[in-house]
Amino acid sequence: MAVKRPVVIGIAGGSCSGKTSVTRAIYDVFRDHSVVVIEQDFYYKDQSHLTFEERLGTNYDHPLAFDNDLLIEHIKKLLVRQPIEKPVYDYVQHTRAQEVIHVEPVDVIILEGILVLEDADLRDLMDIKLFVDTDSDLRIIRRIMRDIKERGRTTDSVIEQYLSAVRPMHNLFIEPTKRYADIIIPEGGDNEVAIDLMVTKIKTILETDNVL
Ligand code: ADP
Ligand code: C5P
């Protein structure tokens, strides 16, 4: 029997734009099918050889912070229906966790992260490219609340990081990737029309004869 090629959806957008919310909305529709979420964040370069203080100095919004070679290798494996060992990231320790997650091949691969549309080789692996577009004032408010609650940061450190790295890198590397998107989704996970359109498109691709 012919083996179908999985569908790859790339979901980019600024920090706290709502990528995870959009991802979850799509994931929930396909959870009975077979779907996996690959978070680009989990592919931040391993920093276990650095001290905690040194890790605080990393620019986490620059493309070079990510191990895209490993990410591309994993997507290519999933595309030919091979399993992967997905890394896990620890935002509080700022490095990869010890454990990995075993991921079996699936029909739908959702690749989500601030810079997934920045790398041409990654873009080439995607069937659908989304950019979640949310105003920066909303994103910084959400980020202050989230990073204090979930990522072990203080208000001062979130604001300092936003001004020194997040904002400039967003303008330099993230915002320009909007031009590569097939669909730009304003306001993320609350945009039900955009989510419905995406789901319909994914179903259409799954029903066509895209065999390996
Ligand atoms: P991203 O993955 O782009 O960083 P998330 O979807 O994780 O964004 O959202 C970041 C934070 O903002 C989370 O704490 C989430 O609860 C909050 N958030 C996301 N969308 C909304 C919304 N429409 N209204 C209010 N808060 C939101
Ligand atoms: O979920 P979100 O898209 O916001 O995650 C990306 C953000 O995580 C980046 O803007 C980066 O600044 C931040 N990050 C961080 N500390 C780390 C790793 C990532 O603040 N150790």
Side-chain angles (χ1 to χ4, degrees):
M1 203 179 84
V3 179
K4 275 185 168 280
R5 181 189 181 280
V7 180
V8 183
I9 302 125
I11 305 183
S15 175
C16 288
S17 55
K19 299 181 295 298
T20 307
S21 317
V22 171
T23 299
R24 200 167 300 134
I26 297 173
Y27 180 90
D28 283 347
V29 176
F30 291 96
R31 66 183 332 141
D32 295 331
H33 214 273
S34 88
V35 53
V36 70
V37 177
I38 304 287
E39 301 86 347
Q40 188 185 28
D41 281 10
F42 287 18
Y43 289 78
Y44 273 115
K45 284 178 182 158
D46 183 39
Q47 300 200 112
S48 50
H49 57 292
L50 300 180
T51 64
F52 184 78
E53 294 306 317
E54 285 170 333
R55 292 178 208 163
L56 288 179
T58 301
N59 181 345
Y60 294 101
D61 294 80
H62 194 284
L64 289 176
F66 294 93
D67 186 352
N68 272 354
D69 290 343
L70 182 65
L71 177 56
I72 289 168
E73 183 189 316
H74 281 182
I75 302 290
K76 284 185 173 168
K77 275 191 169 174
L78 289 171
L79 277 171
V80 293
R81 301 225 167 236
Q82 288 175 14
I84 62 163
E85 305 299 321
K86 185 173 83 158
V88 175
Y89 191 70
D90 183 336
Y91 290 98
V92 177
Q93 294 303 320
H94 308 293
T95 193
R96 266 187 214 162
Q98 294 286 333
E99 74 262 38
V100 290
I101 299 172
H102 180 78
V103 176
E104 282 294 323
V106 288
D107 292 336
V108 180
I109 300 164
I110 306 176
L111 173 57
E112 172 260 316
I114 50 174
L115 285 162
V116 295
L117 293 184
E118 195 270 339
D119 185 306
D121 292 333
L122 259 186
R123 285 200 304 274
D124 287 346
L125 299 175
M126 297 170 189
D127 299 281
I128 309 171
K129 299 186 268 297
L130 305 185
F131 188 98
V132 183
D133 196 17
T134 301
D135 290 346
S136 52
D137 55 349
L138 289 178
R139 291 192 296 101
I140 179 62
I141 291 169
R142 290 176 188 173
R143 177 138 173 164
I144 292 168
M145 296 200 298
R146 182 196 65 187
D147 282 10
I148 292 169
K149 213 161 95 187
E150 297 172 21
R151 297 192 179 178
R153 290 193 182 260
T154 60
T155 312
D156 284 355
S157 91
V158 179
I159 291 171
E160 193 283 321
Q161 186 194 12
Y162 185 81
L163 294 175
S164 65
V166 180
R167 184 176 184 275
M169 297 301 108
H170 179 90
N171 293 339
L172 202 56
F173 295 113
I174 301 172
E175 183 74 18
T177 65
K178 212 190 259 185
R179 78 180 69 156
Y180 302 118
D182 301 308
I183 302 172
I184 296 168
I185 304 186
E187 299 306 330
D190 288 344
N191 192 328
E192 285 179 23
V193 174
I195 305 282
D196 279 355
L197 284 170
M198 279 304 306
V199 167
T200 305
K201 178 65 185 168
I202 295 166
K203 285 181 177 164
T204 307
I205 297 177
L206 284 173
E207 283 158 14
T208 57
D209 286 335
N210 54 334
V211 288
L212 282 175

